[in-house]
Amino acid sequence: MIVQMTGLPPGVIGFTAHNQVTAADYERVVIPDIEAAFALNRKLRVIFHIDQDFTGFDAAAMWDDAKLGCRHFSGWERAALVTDVGWMRNLAKALGFLSPGEFRLYETAQLEEARNWVST
């Protein structure tokens, strides 16, 4: 399940992933919210928090994520990933340089710091 974060300034969008994330989650929450944000802003700042209860992404959700990232490749200004999930942190460390904008990785205890960074 994915829920949108609240209390973020204009031009910043955020999501928190819980339990198993499916393609339906992307199609119901992430894609419409990001498309709406890009309709208002040429550049977007995003924060994605993988919560402690996260169990994984299904393959279709990962495909939706990749398509969304490619469709707006030059539109990502800043991206923050907040997680304590080991394999997600390792993947982000290995592939974070591929992010088209600025990218930072944070631990869950640094969620507020990540929100501040992505918002400035």
Side-chain angles (χ1 to χ4, degrees), residues 51-90:
D51 209 357
Q52 303 292 353
D53 59 1
F54 173 77
T55 58
F57 291 101
D58 69 21
M62 291 190 302
W63 177 243
D64 280 345
D65 184 64
K67 290 188 303 185
L68 184 64
C70 290
R71 185 167 46 250
H72 296 290
F73 189 76
S74 65
W76 306 104
E77 185 172 4
R78 281 189 173 181
L81 174 62
V82 182
T83 186
D84 290 335
V85 176
W87 69 269
M88 289 287 296
R89 292 187 61 80
N90 290 335

